[in-house]
mmCIF file of all heavy atoms in Angstrom:
data_model
loop_
_atom_site.group_PDB
_atom_site.id
_atom_site.type_symbol
_atom_site.label_atom_id
_atom_site.label_comp_id
_atom_site.label_asym_id
_atom_site.label_seq_id
_atom_site.Cartn_x
_atom_site.Cartn_y
_atom_site.Cartn_z
ATOM 1 N N GLU A 944 70.280 78.318 -185.483
ATOM 2 C CA GLU A 944 69.027 78.683 -184.821
ATOM 3 C C GLU A 944 67.803 78.066 -185.470
ATOM 4 O O GLU A 944 66.995 78.742 -186.061
ATOM 5 C CB GLU A 944 68.909 80.201 -184.793
ATOM 6 C CG GLU A 944 70.053 80.824 -184.012
ATOM 7 C CD GLU A 944 69.853 82.331 -183.794
ATOM 8 O OE1 GLU A 944 68.735 82.830 -183.932
ATOM 9 O OE2 GLU A 944 70.857 82.957 -183.497
ATOM 10 N N PRO A 945 67.594 76.755 -185.295
ATOM 11 C CA PRO A 945 66.446 76.103 -185.919
ATOM 12 C C PRO A 945 65.104 76.392 -185.241
ATOM 13 O O PRO A 945 64.063 76.196 -185.842
ATOM 14 C CB PRO A 945 66.791 74.626 -185.821
ATOM 15 C CG PRO A 945 67.599 74.526 -184.574
ATOM 16 C CD PRO A 945 68.425 75.811 -184.554
ATOM 17 N N ILE A 946 65.157 76.877 -184.000
ATOM 18 C CA ILE A 946 63.922 77.096 -183.245
ATOM 19 C C ILE A 946 63.755 78.617 -183.021
ATOM 20 O O ILE A 946 64.658 79.263 -182.525
ATOM 21 C CB ILE A 946 63.954 76.361 -181.889
ATOM 22 C CG1 ILE A 946 64.345 74.897 -182.031
ATOM 23 C CG2 ILE A 946 62.604 76.521 -181.183
ATOM 24 C CD1 ILE A 946 63.438 74.057 -182.879
ATOM 25 N N GLU A 947 62.602 79.139 -183.384
ATOM 26 C CA GLU A 947 62.308 80.547 -183.237
ATOM 27 C C GLU A 947 62.244 80.941 -181.742
ATOM 28 O O GLU A 947 61.793 80.165 -180.903
ATOM 29 C CB GLU A 947 61.030 80.899 -183.917
ATOM 30 C CG GLU A 947 61.092 80.721 -185.433
ATOM 31 C CD GLU A 947 59.734 80.870 -186.088
ATOM 32 O OE1 GLU A 947 58.867 81.593 -185.575
ATOM 33 O OE2 GLU A 947 59.553 80.205 -187.139
ATOM 34 N N GLY A 948 62.633 82.178 -181.443
ATOM 35 C CA GLY A 948 62.656 82.665 -180.068
ATOM 36 C C GLY A 948 61.329 82.586 -179.348
ATOM 37 O O GLY A 948 61.281 82.188 -178.186
ATOM 38 N N GLN A 949 60.249 82.928 -180.011
ATOM 39 C CA GLN A 949 58.924 82.875 -179.380
ATOM 40 C C GLN A 949 58.584 81.439 -179.003
ATOM 41 O O GLN A 949 57.991 81.206 -177.935
ATOM 42 C CB GLN A 949 57.854 83.446 -180.321
ATOM 43 C CG GLN A 949 56.483 83.500 -179.730
ATOM 44 C CD GLN A 949 55.451 84.062 -180.655
ATOM 45 O OE1 GLN A 949 55.612 84.005 -181.888
ATOM 46 N NE2 GLN A 949 54.349 84.595 -180.118
ATOM 47 N N ILE A 950 58.963 80.487 -179.795
ATOM 48 C CA ILE A 950 58.689 79.085 -179.484
ATOM 49 C C ILE A 950 59.503 78.669 -178.268
ATOM 50 O O ILE A 950 59.007 77.943 -177.421
ATOM 51 C CB ILE A 950 58.976 78.183 -180.716
ATOM 52 C CG1 ILE A 950 57.882 78.449 -181.748
ATOM 53 C CG2 ILE A 950 59.053 76.720 -180.321
ATOM 54 C CD1 ILE A 950 58.069 77.728 -183.048
ATOM 55 N N LEU A 951 60.738 79.136 -178.173
ATOM 56 C CA LEU A 951 61.550 78.813 -176.984
ATOM 57 C C LEU A 951 60.892 79.337 -175.717
ATOM 58 O O LEU A 951 60.858 78.626 -174.701
ATOM 59 C CB LEU A 951 62.973 79.394 -177.143
ATOM 60 C CG LEU A 951 63.837 78.740 -178.205
ATOM 61 C CD1 LEU A 951 65.142 79.503 -178.335
ATOM 62 C CD2 LEU A 951 64.116 77.285 -177.912
ATOM 63 N N VAL A 952 60.384 80.552 -175.759
ATOM 64 C CA VAL A 952 59.760 81.129 -174.554
ATOM 65 C C VAL A 952 58.524 80.343 -174.178
ATOM 66 O O VAL A 952 58.355 79.968 -173.012
ATOM 67 C CB VAL A 952 59.400 82.619 -174.817
ATOM 68 C CG1 VAL A 952 58.550 83.178 -173.710
ATOM 69 C CG2 VAL A 952 60.650 83.453 -174.998
ATOM 70 N N LEU A 953 57.664 80.031 -175.151
ATOM 71 C CA LEU A 953 56.434 79.289 -174.850
ATOM 72 C C LEU A 953 56.741 77.867 -174.373
ATOM 73 O O LEU A 953 56.119 77.372 -173.442
ATOM 74 C CB LEU A 953 55.530 79.243 -176.085
ATOM 75 C CG LEU A 953 54.989 80.597 -176.552
ATOM 76 C CD1 LEU A 953 54.265 80.443 -177.880
ATOM 77 C CD2 LEU A 953 54.034 81.179 -175.503
ATOM 78 N N THR A 954 57.697 77.205 -175.008
ATOM 79 C CA THR A 954 58.055 75.874 -174.642
ATOM 80 C C THR A 954 58.650 75.814 -173.247
ATOM 81 O O THR A 954 58.330 74.898 -172.465
ATOM 82 C CB THR A 954 59.029 75.282 -175.658
ATOM 83 O OG1 THR A 954 58.423 75.303 -176.951
ATOM 84 C CG2 THR A 954 59.409 73.840 -175.320
ATOM 85 N N ALA A 955 59.507 76.753 -172.904
ATOM 86 C CA ALA A 955 60.115 76.772 -171.573
ATOM 87 C C ALA A 955 59.026 76.885 -170.502
ATOM 88 O O ALA A 955 59.091 76.187 -169.479
ATOM 89 C CB ALA A 955 61.100 77.943 -171.465
#
Side-chain angles (χ1 to χ4, degrees):
E944 298 187 19
I946 310 299
E947 295 171 28
Q949 183 180 24
I950 289 175
L951 290 174
V952 171
L953 295 172
T954 301

